[in-house]
């Protein structure tokens, strides 16, 4: 049994290595197609190595014996996000072809709705898979906000940084780590961030319309985070006040 577990673990780890190899292949294809510069190559390689290392560590800690079809979809999406990241890094020197940039990003966004469905249909939903999916989503939004900020201004970075700011704040205020109730509105706002940012990055709209699209995305995100933070604060306050209320009830009874 120990040998079988070791063999399965090696197979799982091999899939992350294959993902890193595919990422490097994508960078090579981008390099041959558009002449990817040093910044793009370096950023893409760092992304590939970091994704492989962090995912391998997470898989080792989780003890999963199978990588699963849904995680394969997410890994493929992460590979596309790595390509988009390389293009954005390269754009500080020369703008990437809009068609290529939009195409890679659009496929990554479309696949965001696939991995969850695959996980549910195959019964392979895991906490690791959900976290992997969420981190890929968050990083893509951050990268897109960096790209759009170059034409609209640094305020767009708030869209990509908000989730990471929330995670940092939760280290200071642990009550932010409490589980939130399911919300269709929250999921909708999160899904629209990538769509709005891609539309803003596509050069299809006039500058004023592009500004409005990005501003709408930021306003919706501020509303969503604000609503969730208020709910978490009220829940935390109720939990803090509950023991005092019970004590008063015992005293008066």
């Amino acid at each position: 049994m120990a040998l079988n577990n070791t063999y399965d673990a090696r197979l799982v780890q091999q899939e992350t290595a294959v993902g890193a190899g595919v990422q490097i292949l994508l960078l090579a294809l981008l390099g041959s197609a558009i002449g990817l510069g040093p910044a793009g190559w370096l950023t893409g390689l760092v992304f590939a190595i970091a994704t492989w290392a962090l995912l391998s560590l997470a898989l080792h800690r989780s003890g999963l014996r199978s990588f699963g079809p849904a995680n394969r979809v997410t890994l493929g999406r992460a590979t596309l996000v790595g390509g988009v990241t390389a293009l954005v890094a390269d754009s500080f020197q020369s703008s990437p072809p809009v068609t290529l940039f939009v195409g890679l990003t659009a496929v990554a966004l479309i696949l965001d709705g696939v991995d969850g469905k695959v996980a549910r249909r195959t019964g392979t939903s895991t906490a690791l898979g959900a976290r992997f999916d969420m981190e890929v989503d968050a990083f893509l939004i951050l990268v897109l906000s960096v790209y759009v900020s170059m034409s609209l201004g640094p305020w767009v970075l708030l869209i990509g940084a908000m989730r990471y700011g929330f995670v940092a704040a939760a280290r200071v205020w642990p009550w932010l780590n409490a589980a939130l109730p399911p919300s269709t509105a929250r999921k909708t706002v999160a899904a629209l961030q990538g769509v709005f940012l891609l539309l803003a990055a596509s050069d299809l709209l006039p500058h004023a319309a592009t500004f409005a699209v990005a501003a709408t995305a930021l306003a919706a995100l501020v509303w969503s985070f604000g609503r969730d933070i208020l709910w978490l604060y009220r829940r935390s306050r109720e939990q803090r006040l509950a023991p005092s209320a019970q004590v008063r009830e015992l005293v008066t009874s």
Side-chain angles (χ1 to χ4, degrees), residues 47 51 55 70-71 73-75 77-78 81 108-109 111-113 115-116 119 126-143 159-160 162-164 166-168 170 176-180 186-187 190-191 193-194 221 225 228:
F47 180 90
T51 301
L55 186 55
N71 285 335
V73 175
T74 308
L75 185 58
R77 187 156 57 88
V81 172
L109 291 173
L111 288 177
D112 184 27
D115 45 11
T126 62
L128 173 61
R131 180 65 183 273
F132 185 26
D133 176 60
M134 181 175 62
E135 295 299 339
V136 173
D137 289 344
F139 193 79
L140 176 58
I141 298 303
L142 177 62
V143 170
I159 298 175
M162 200 168 298
R163 187 258 174 182
Y164 295 100
F166 181 85
V167 172
L176 289 171
N177 288 311
L180 287 163
R186 184 189 311 118
K187 292 180 180 179
Q193 296 305 304
L221 198 61
F225 270 96
D228 287 344

Side-chain angles (χ1 to χ4, degrees), residues 5 16 64-65 84 106 114 120-121 141 184 211 234 236 251:
N5 286 338
T16 64
L64 289 179
R65 297 183 61 186
V84 173
V114 174
R120 289 188 292 271
R121 289 183 179 179
I141 298 303
T184 302
F211 185 94
R234 288 174 175 172
S236 173
V251 170

Side-chain angles (χ1 to χ4, degrees), residues 58-71:
L59 286 167
H60 176 73
R61 289 178 175 177
S62 68
L64 289 179
R65 297 183 61 186
S66 173
F67 194 62
N71 285 335

Side-chain angles (χ1 to χ4, degrees), residues 15 32 36 133 163 189 214 217 237 244 250:
E15 297 212 40
S32 62
L36 197 64
D133 176 60
R163 187 258 174 182
V189 169
R237 188 170 181 273
S244 300
L250 289 174

Side-chain angles (χ1 to χ4, degrees), residues 8-28:
D8 290 337
R10 286 179 179 176
L11 285 179
V12 171
Q13 295 294 338
Q14 284 174 4
E15 297 212 40
T16 64
V18 169
V22 173
Q23 180 71 82
I24 294 172
L25 177 60
L26 176 60
L27 293 176

Side-chain angles (χ1 to χ4, degrees), residues 82-109:
V84 173
T85 302
L87 291 176
V88 171
D90 210 46
S91 68
F92 285 93
Q93 295 180 337
S94 60
S95 298
V98 175
T99 304
L100 178 62
F101 179 83
V102 170
L104 285 178
T105 305
V107 174
L109 291 173

